[in-house]
Amino acid sequence: MAEQLHAEGGASPKSETLMEKIADKLHIGGGDGSSSDSDADERKQPKPSAPPAPAEVATESFVDSAAAAAAEAKAKVFRLFGREEPIHKVLGGGKPADVFLWRNRNISAGVLGGATAIWILFELLGYHLLTFVCHGLIFSLGLLFLWSNASSFINKSPPRIPEVIIPEDLVLNIALSTRYEINRAFANLRQIALGRDIKKFLIVIAGLWLLSVLGSCCNFLTLVYIVFVVLHTVPILYEKYEDQIDSYGEKGWVEIKKQYAVFDAKVLSKVPRGPLKDKKH
């Protein structure tokens, strides 16, 4: 009996130690599971977005500065006659500019062809303006008169002749614009005659001399036709090759300024100039 009790007493510590080991293992496994759950929760939580890298910020600022520099350089590009607007706006915009720049090829070709026909009629064939107007009116009135009287015999409707009325506002606007331009031209001529701007004086003298040379070579009608052809060819060519023409123009303008500086130092600086202000009486 004592031996049996001794055997049971020896086995109980072993069973207790075995149970303790199993409990420890279960406790460790539970700890791993809780840690894994916490890790999963942390993964599910949204992470704050990282601030942009310094390299990206530097790249964006470089691109912005480069674009601003390009726009500034484009604005400082040399343009003929100090032009800052497109050639379409310089020509006045609207339909006249569209005709000069051949926006509608049919209309531009028709206008240029009509001007050429008029020049050939008056210049080459020797037709006179008054004779042409009278013959045109005779032909038009005779044709309309016959049509109006013959319409009742041929069972056709008479011609519809529109009633032409020149609006008063149009005439007044044209008169006011003409008056303003004439007064401005007189004011500029007065300023030039007073000797206040030698540069403008030389430009006007050169332009008048050039017109006199052209007038001695051709009559007024031919001169008007040449100007008309130039207006239909030069603007479209300039718009097409704008950068190349402006580049050559810049080089030529620099050379002209050099020559003008020499001429000013040797000649113009020694010419006495008029008073800067008019004397008040």
Side-chain angles (χ1 to χ4, degrees):
M1 191 73 181
E3 291 177 359
Q4 289 178 353
L5 292 173
H6 179 74
E8 289 176 0
S12 59
K14 290 182 179 179
S15 61
E16 289 178 1
T17 56
L18 181 60
M19 293 298 293
E20 289 177 358
K21 290 181 180 180
I22 293 173
D24 292 338
K25 288 182 179 181
L26 291 175
H27 180 70
I28 293 172
D32 292 341
S34 61
S35 63
S36 62
D37 293 338
S38 62
D39 292 340
D41 293 337
E42 290 178 358
R43 289 171 188 166
K44 289 180 181 179
Q45 292 178 357
K47 295 182 179 180
S49 57
E56 294 179 358
V57 176
T59 304
E60 291 179 0
S61 61
F62 176 76
V63 171
D64 295 339
S65 60
E72 185 178 358
K74 187 176 181 180
K76 291 182 179 179
V77 172
F78 177 83
R79 298 299 181 191
L80 287 178
F81 311 111
R83 179 177 59 84
E84 296 181 356
E85 296 179 344
I87 189 66
H88 189 274
K89 274 193 174 182
V90 173
L91 293 175
K95 292 183 179 180
D98 292 340
V99 172
F100 291 142
L101 294 175
W102 294 74
R103 295 290 190 262
N104 190 327
R105 295 181 180 275
N106 295 330
I107 296 177
S108 299
V111 172
L112 186 59
T116 304
I118 292 174
W119 179 76
I120 292 173
L121 185 66
F122 291 110
E123 185 64 24
L124 298 183
L125 301 181
Y127 221 67
H128 298 285
L129 179 61
L130 184 59
T131 306
F132 174 75
V133 172
C134 292
H135 286 176
L137 289 175
I138 290 171
F139 177 78
S140 301
L141 291 175
L143 181 62
L144 293 173
F145 179 81
L146 292 176
W147 187 0
S148 299
N149 288 283
S151 60
S152 58
F153 297 100
I154 59 178
N155 295 325
K156 287 188 176 182
S157 60
R160 296 180 180 178
I161 303 174
E163 185 179 0
V164 179
I165 299 176
I166 300 176
E168 183 179 359
D169 295 339
L170 177 62
V171 177
L172 291 176
N173 290 332
I174 293 174
L176 291 175
S177 300
T178 305
R179 172 180 171 274
Y180 172 75
E181 294 297 334
I182 292 174
N183 288 335
R184 191 174 68 169
F186 283 154
N188 289 330
L189 291 175
R190 180 176 179 274
Q191 295 294 329
I192 293 170
L194 290 174
R196 297 177 180 177
D197 194 342
I198 297 179
K199 184 178 180 180
K200 188 180 292 185
F201 170 77
L202 293 176
I203 292 174
V204 171
I205 293 299
L208 292 174
W209 177 77
L210 182 61
L211 285 177
S212 67
V213 172
L214 292 175
S216 63
C217 298
C218 57
N219 57 16
F220 181 73
L221 180 61
T222 303
L223 181 61
V224 172
Y225 177 68
I226 291 173
V227 173
F228 197 77
V229 173
V230 168
L231 287 175
H232 277 78
T233 53
V234 173
I236 183 64
L237 292 175
Y238 176 73
E239 187 181 39
K240 188 176 182 180
Y241 304 103
E242 183 177 1
D243 295 335
Q244 294 86 340
I245 294 174
D246 286 340
S247 177
Y248 288 112
E250 184 178 9
K251 296 177 182 178
W253 182 246
V254 171
E255 187 63 28
I256 290 174
K257 289 176 70 175
K258 290 180 180 179
Q259 298 299 328
Y260 177 78
V262 174
F263 182 72
D264 186 24
K266 292 183 179 181
V267 179
L268 298 182
S269 60
K270 300 177 182 179
V271 176
R273 302 191 180 186
L276 296 178
K277 295 182 180 180
D278 295 336
K279 295 181 180 180
K280 297 182 180 180
H281 299 285

